[in-house]
Amino acid sequence: MKFLSIVNFTAAFQGIFLCIMLFGRNRASPENRALALLVMVISVSLLGPVLGMTGYYREFPHLIRIGDPLVLLYGPFLYRYISLLTHKGNPVWWHYIPFWLYLGALIPFYLQTAEAKIAFGEQVFLNNTPSGLVIFILSLRTVHIFFYIVVSLNLTQKFQKTLLDNYSDLSRLNLDKANFVLKLFILVLMLAIIVFVSTYFWSLNFVVINNLLGLAFAILIYALAYTSWNRPVIVEELIVREVIENEISDTGKRTRNTYNLHTEINENLAIRLKNLLETQQIYLQSELSLSQLSQELGVPAYQVSEVINRQYQETFFDLINRYRIEEIKRRLNDDQYAHLSILGIAMDCGFNSKSSFNTAFKKFTGMTPSEYKKK
């Protein structure tokens, strides 16, 4: 068990160091500051289980249960981080109510004498059979975090849809950072459930349970520290601003699956759009966006989006990439392009990366580019 204490103690200081780095002036974006706060509360919380297992709670009794209410900040801070990554703003004040209520409930304990706190610690830490109240509190914390994982996943899905509605290439516009953090939290949640189930088969005292859960969060901190400096930001600031402007322009003008354009206007725009796609081959522009297409047509982006939804029943992303794939198929069957590689043709047709090209080709043809060329 000493190994668990060492790992958790090291992870806590690793997390504090990561917070300092994230707050550094070169990386102090709102997203990084939110991530720093999330890592900070996790790091400080890890010190509690370490105190219990090492016995240092006797030396520092006033630190007992200091980290308890911080667990109720994991979910809101995770949601705040994902909200900033998906540019939905900060969570409102009520997300922090459980934390403040729990903190208020613990004030009488914090005001107790050192001897009383040590006595409480001895009663909890040395009990090989956790009380029903302890299991109940740990379960509530797990449910609390699970709720925020779900709502955070919902944010990423909505933002992914926004990107698909506005961009033809997502190689630079991805949710890797958000998805990575959420996957880590899901892994921790699964480990927590395993630990809870284990208590019904083995006698595990509260300290061991807390340290096993702490180990899961220690892994999370190590993973964040290892990847934070290499993962790209979700989107470039200029692109983000464009997405937000497009969303604002849609507000009040239409709702999903509700069309407002007059039939004659819609048909006229559809003809002009078809001309841009089939005659001028505008889809060959590698970084084509809905905003650029709307400028070409001389109408607001929300009108172009409506035309695409009504005429093609697909997203802007799928529409453009379907045309690109059709052009690539045509060139693969044309001896004029025989000197070019498959990837070279894909790049000429608007794709910016091999992975995005392969994914799109498989989606629209049901086979890989190599399989298509061999048939």
Side-chain angles (χ1 to χ4, degrees), residues 122-343:
E122 299 287 349
Q123 180 184 3
V124 174
F125 299 154
L126 301 182
N127 188 353
N128 287 327
T129 305
S131 67
L133 179 61
V134 168
I135 297 298
F136 177 72
I137 291 174
L138 291 176
S139 300
L140 278 183
R141 291 176 181 177
T142 303
V143 172
H144 187 259
I145 295 173
F146 175 75
F147 168 78
Y148 280 98
I149 290 175
V150 171
V151 294
S152 296
L153 283 170
N154 185 51
L155 281 184
T156 61
Q157 291 171 356
K158 287 182 177 179
F159 194 65
Q160 185 70 32
K161 180 64 173 69
T162 300
L163 293 179
L164 292 174
D165 283 339
N166 286 273
Y167 293 94
S168 62
D169 177 72
L170 302 185
S171 60
R172 292 185 304 140
L173 310 171
N174 57 70
L175 291 164
D176 283 353
K177 209 170 187 180
N179 287 329
F180 176 70
V181 173
L182 288 172
K183 286 176 182 177
L184 286 177
F185 267 87
I186 291 172
L187 174 62
V188 169
L189 195 68
M190 291 174 62
L191 291 174
I193 293 172
I194 292 173
V195 170
F196 291 153
V197 172
S198 299
T199 61
Y200 290 96
F201 300 95
W202 294 282
S203 294
L204 297 174
N205 64 36
F206 179 75
V207 174
V208 174
I209 293 173
N210 248 7
N211 273 275
L212 287 173
L213 296 178
L215 178 62
F217 282 102
I219 294 171
L220 186 150
I221 289 176
Y222 282 125
L224 287 176
Y226 182 76
T227 60
S228 288
W229 309 109
N230 298 321
R231 287 186 175 270
V233 295
I234 189 169
V235 286
E236 296 177 359
E237 190 59 36
L238 183 62
I239 294 173
V240 171
R241 191 179 303 118
E242 186 176 315
V243 170
I244 294 173
E245 287 174 353
N246 285 342
E247 287 184 329
I248 292 174
S249 70
D250 278 358
T251 303
K253 293 186 174 68
R254 69 177 179 91
T255 58
R256 192 166 301 279
N257 298 325
T258 300
Y259 302 128
N260 297 311
L261 289 179
H262 189 276
T263 302
E264 184 178 343
I265 297 176
N266 174 71
E267 292 176 352
N268 178 264
L269 282 176
I271 293 172
R272 292 166 59 195
L273 175 60
K274 186 176 181 179
N275 177 64
L276 279 176
L277 292 170
E278 299 184 0
T279 304
Q280 300 184 38
Q281 295 185 310
I282 195 171
Y283 55 83
L284 297 180
Q285 297 180 24
S286 62
E287 296 182 2
L288 181 65
S289 68
L290 181 67
S291 178
Q292 292 171 309
L293 189 58
S294 70
Q295 290 176 14
E296 290 286 338
L297 291 170
V299 296
Y302 78 90
Q303 292 188 2
V304 181
S305 180
E306 179 174 325
V307 171
I308 292 173
N309 289 333
R310 290 175 69 171
Q311 299 297 129
Y312 300 97
Q313 290 80 49
E314 56 188 347
T315 64
F316 172 79
F317 177 84
D318 284 343
L319 173 67
I320 299 303
N321 282 304
R322 179 167 57 80
Y323 269 93
R324 287 173 177 169
I325 295 302
E326 289 301 317
E327 177 63 17
I328 291 170
K329 287 165 58 179
R330 186 188 69 79
R331 294 189 185 188
L332 287 174
N333 296 319
D334 190 338
D335 292 338
Q336 180 182 347
Y337 298 94
H339 64 288
L340 293 176
S341 65
I342 297 177
L343 184 58

Side-chain angles (χ1 to χ4, degrees), residues 34-72:
L35 180 60
L37 289 174
L38 174 61
V39 174
M40 178 61 77
V41 296
I42 293 174
S43 301
V44 174
S45 298
L46 281 179
L47 295 177
V50 173
L51 284 175
M53 181 162 283
T54 59
Y56 275 102
Y57 65 89
R58 299 184 188 93
E59 303 295 326
F60 307 98
H62 293 297
L63 294 181
I64 296 175
R65 303 194 75 181
I66 287 294
D68 277 13
L70 294 181
V71 178
L72 295 179

Side-chain angles (χ1 to χ4, degrees), residues 341-358:
S341 65
I342 297 177
L343 184 58
I345 293 175
M347 294 298 182
D348 283 346
C349 290
F351 286 99
N352 283 324
S353 71
K354 183 178 180 180
S355 61
S356 61
F357 161 60
N358 286 336

